[in-house]
Amino acid sequence: MANLFLKFRVYFMYIKAMKIQNFKSFKGALPWFEFTTGINYIVGNNNAGKTTIFKALEFLIHGGNKSEVLCNSCENNEDVMVEVLIDDVSESQEASLKKYNKYINNGELRLKRSSKEETIEQNGKNVTLTIRKIQIWNETKQQYENPTGFDTAIRKLIDISPIYADMHNEDYQDFGTTKITGKIVRAVTQNFQKSDDYLTLKENYQRVFGKEGIQRYLDDTETLLSNLITDQFGNSKVNFSFEFPEVNSLLKQGQINVTENNSTTSLAEKGNGLQRALALALIQVYADMNAKDDNSPYFIDEPEIYLHPLAQDKLLNSFKKLASEGNQIFITTHSPYIIRHFNSKKDSLIIIKMNKNCQKDIQYQNELLFSNPSIGEISYVAFGVPTVDFHQRLFTKIYIHWVMNRDTEVKATIPNFEEEYLKRLTYISSNHPFIERYVNTINPSKKKSVENGGWVPEENHTLPYIIRNEIDHPEVLEQGKNTWNEENLRQSIEDMLQIIKNENIQ
């Protein structure tokens, strides 16, 4: 299995896999999802469940609202569960984390949130595990537990803040410490806290809100409250205090404004296109800042929305930079311009689709035909869209296999051996057992006649050969038009996939 980077303060955790059971549209227990330390591309049709992977991780870390429907297609008594396996976890020496070191087993942590209630013995007491608690696996006792304070600790350690396709405008300008905007502002303003201007601000604040300022007006109120408390509860003194706020608290009050045509308004008042473009631009800026001390994961739902192809390319280049610095990237997408950046050596491809029984099928790149799958193959497997690119790769794969692996004992006796095998993929009339059934369902292909110098019908061509020939040799087309349509292309691809399956072509 591959890995997923998450931040564990200065220590790093890698999510190795995630398991989902009866969550949202995922009915039943699914096999483990596997992730990589590069970019994870998650593709599939609308409503296939791509975004559910993000939602499941959020549910594990942050929990779910009571009114939330956790499973869209389950009975009331079916258990909902999300489980995550994290690998390569270093034991922490920080006081707030050290007490959880005993749960690290050979560098692994297992976390779970489940609707199934279970009572266990923990530290000499009976403890009931519910959906409100994050559970952690105790390898020694072979059980899940919920140690005191663990929920709060894990939320601080794991930062999951997806950028969803349907985010509200306020989400795009959140200056919180875990949000991308807040991270950028803090990264570029660290030195400001040491500046004379900042120190002067702090002194002025203390003067204005201290004894010389606002507290002078509260003296009588403090005395009145103190007397009342003393009369009713004993000798006590009350006073108001206005401490200088932390920088993070000040920064959270910020907002983003946009100026267009000499008019400045809040980003919240702009259209969805500009809001989303800014959110993705923030990621690119953060990538260019080279913030290597932060290895938080990024979850981006359909980044292609509102972006033209060249902008999508630039965005993916920023994602690649973040990934190279240790940041895990998750992307759900329908865009071929996004998918074409997939690198089978570094990245992960997860294809989610519905099978004939309306159940989820999950496929990975190592389950596809080609070790470096093309956009055409991904489009066909994920979306059912037949492409010329995939058709030609299949044709070549079958042809090369037959040339290199079939009838080697007669290779030397047959002149022009490669051409002979090309005919086996070309003509129904050959004796090849897997070709005979593929009858030409469209107009016969054309073959040049030496006698009259023109093109005449040639019978018994296979569908794959006709389409391949017309793609590679457009000069054979009559009036410049293909004799095949998209449905023929789909059938030809299915025919060749069947040949590959029957002959176990690797």
Side-chain angles (χ1 to χ4, degrees):
M1 293 184 180
N3 300 321
L4 167 64
F5 271 100
L6 285 180
K7 189 175 181 182
F8 194 154
R9 295 242 177 141
V10 296
Y11 312 99
F12 298 103
M13 300 191 300
Y14 305 81
I15 290 186
K16 201 172 186 180
M18 178 178 71
K19 193 173 184 179
I20 298 177
Q21 176 178 308
N22 294 327
F23 184 79
K24 298 293 187 181
S25 61
F26 288 86
K27 183 174 175 58
L30 272 71
W32 288 89
F33 285 95
E34 302 171 12
F35 304 122
T36 181
T37 55
I39 301 176
N40 292 279
Y41 296 83
I42 306 170
V43 300
N45 283 321
N46 289 332
N47 299 317
K50 304 183 298 298
T51 307
T52 301
I53 294 179
F54 296 1
K55 296 287 187 181
L57 283 168
E58 280 194 297
F59 167 71
L60 173 71
I61 303 303
H62 300 294
N65 191 296
K66 292 181 181 179
S67 62
E68 182 181 29
V69 178
L70 295 177
C71 185
N72 301 344
S73 56
C74 302
E75 302 296 332
N76 292 331
N77 60 349
E78 292 188 272
D79 297 324
V80 175
M81 184 271 291
V82 176
E83 186 175 11
V84 166
L85 179 63
I86 305 172
D87 200 0
D88 201 11
V89 181
S90 300
E91 290 192 357
S92 172
Q93 300 305 313
E94 190 172 337
S96 62
L97 308 176
K98 195 172 182 179
K99 61 183 177 180
Y100 305 118
N101 285 344
K102 68 177 183 179
Y103 293 99
I104 302 173
N105 179 48
N106 294 324
E108 285 190 352
L109 281 178
R110 284 171 61 187
L111 306 178
K112 183 176 77 170
R113 188 184 291 274
S114 173
S115 64
K116 181 180 180 180
E117 294 193 4
E118 181 181 3
T119 300
I120 63 168
E121 189 278 326
Q122 181 179 316
N123 299 327
K125 299 179 181 179
N126 288 335
V127 176
T128 300
L129 303 177
T130 70
I131 196 171
R132 294 171 180 246
K133 299 179 179 179
I134 302 175
Q135 303 171 31
I136 185 169
W137 179 253
N138 187 325
E139 181 67 20
T140 303
K141 294 186 176 181
Q142 289 290 295
Q143 66 180 17
Y144 272 104
E145 299 179 353
N146 180 255
T148 303
F150 181 70
D151 291 56
T152 301
I154 203 69
R155 291 190 187 103
K156 291 181 179 179
L157 303 179
I158 300 180
D159 175 15
I160 297 178
S161 304
I163 297 177
Y164 289 113
D166 58 352
M167 284 182 71
H168 300 293
N169 54 34
E170 61 268 19
D171 296 319
Y172 289 109
Q173 50 179 346
D174 192 329
F175 283 67
T177 56
T178 64
K179 306 299 182 181
I180 184 66
T181 306
K183 289 178 181 179
I184 292 175
V185 172
R186 284 162 183 77
V188 300
T189 60
Q190 284 182 351
N191 291 333
F192 175 72
Q193 299 180 47
K194 304 175 184 178
S195 68
D196 292 338
D197 287 340
Y198 183 77
L199 294 176
T200 300
L201 170 64
K202 190 172 183 178
E203 291 175 1
N204 289 334
Y205 180 93
Q206 291 170 340
R207 178 176 56 81
V208 171
F209 286 88
K211 292 182 179 180
E212 299 177 6
I214 197 171
Q215 285 190 330
R216 288 186 303 164
Y217 298 89
L218 296 171
D219 286 344
D220 291 343
T221 303
E222 288 177 347
T223 301
L224 179 60
L225 288 172
S226 297
N227 291 337
L228 289 172
I229 294 293
T230 299
D231 290 342
Q232 299 175 26
F233 298 98
N235 189 25
S236 298
K237 186 176 181 179
V238 175
N239 60 73
F240 293 98
S241 176
F242 299 91
E243 297 295 330
F244 185 70
E246 293 184 358
V247 174
N248 289 343
S249 298
L250 292 172
L251 294 178
K252 282 184 179 180
Q253 306 306 313
Q255 70 173 22
I256 299 175
N257 296 324
V258 178
T259 300
E260 292 181 309
N261 301 322
N262 296 322
S263 175
T264 300
T265 57
S266 169
L267 176 67
E269 299 179 26
K270 298 299 181 181
N272 291 335
L274 179 58
Q275 292 172 6
R276 187 169 176 82
L278 178 61
L280 298 177
L282 287 167
I283 293 178
Q284 295 177 78
V285 169
Y286 192 67
D288 292 336
M289 287 171 55
N290 240 349
K292 294 183 179 180
D293 61 329
D294 179 82
N295 292 86
S296 301
Y298 291 86
F299 299 85
I300 304 95
D301 187 24
E302 299 182 19
E304 65 268 19
I305 294 178
Y306 305 117
L307 294 182
H308 59 77
L310 290 180
Q312 294 179 40
D313 285 341
K314 291 181 180 179
L315 179 64
L316 261 294
N317 289 333
S318 296
F319 289 161
K320 290 176 185 177
K321 184 173 182 179
L322 281 171
S324 70
E325 294 168 0
N327 299 86
Q328 176 63 37
I329 311 293
F330 281 98
I331 295 174
T332 69
T333 184
H334 299 116
S335 171
Y337 301 102
I338 297 290
I339 296 172
R340 71 179 179 176
H341 289 268
F342 169 71
N343 184 330
S344 60
K345 295 181 180 179
K346 299 179 180 179
D347 305 326
S348 172
L349 175 69
I350 301 173
I351 299 175
I352 306 176
K353 57 183 181 178
M354 300 289 288
N355 60 28
K356 295 179 180 179
N357 298 321
C358 295
Q359 298 294 319
K360 305 284 187 182
D361 270 347
I362 313 297
Q363 285 186 276
Y364 301 91
Q365 71 269 19
N366 59 358
E367 299 175 273
L368 301 179
L369 286 173
F370 299 97
S371 58
N372 188 17
S374 66
I375 297 175
E377 181 175 8
I378 296 170
S379 296
Y380 191 77
V381 175
F383 309 116
V385 177
T387 60
V388 166
D389 165 69
F390 190 37
H391 184 279
Q392 301 304 78
R393 291 192 76 178
L394 290 175
F395 190 97
T396 301
K397 184 179 184 72
I398 295 171
Y399 174 58
I400 291 177
H401 172 78
W402 285 346
V403 169
M404 300 300 296
N405 299 292
R406 304 277 300 191
D407 298 339
T408 53
E409 69 277 3
V410 297
K411 230 177 183 181
T413 64
I414 301 178
N416 301 319
F417 183 78
E418 285 76 7
E419 286 77 4
E420 178 65 23
Y421 263 88
L422 180 58
K423 291 179 181 179
R424 295 197 179 195
L425 189 56
T426 304
Y427 299 109
I428 300 270
S429 56
S430 75
N431 293 323
H432 196 284
F434 302 108
I435 283 295
E436 292 176 355
R437 75 177 196 78
Y438 302 121
V439 180
N440 178 10
T441 58
I442 60 178
N443 295 332
S445 180
K446 309 294 183 180
K447 183 178 180 181
K448 192 171 183 178
S449 170
V450 178
E451 288 77 14
N452 58 23
W455 295 93
V456 297
E458 180 68 44
E459 301 295 338
N460 294 328
H461 281 151
T462 63
L463 189 58
Y465 177 76
I466 294 171
I467 295 176
R468 178 262 186 186
N469 197 47
E470 291 190 359
I471 292 170
D472 287 354
H473 303 285
E475 67 273 10
V476 306
L477 301 179
E478 189 174 329
Q479 298 179 346
K481 295 182 180 180
N482 295 322
T483 60
W484 50 272
N485 55 32
E486 183 170 298
E487 189 54 42
N488 298 140
L489 182 65
R490 184 191 309 277
Q491 182 60 54
S492 183
I493 288 174
E494 285 297 318
D495 288 348
M496 289 189 287
L497 289 174
Q498 188 63 42
I499 292 173
I500 290 171
K501 179 180 179 181
N502 290 346
E503 294 219 336
N504 194 27
I505 299 175
Q506 301 298 319

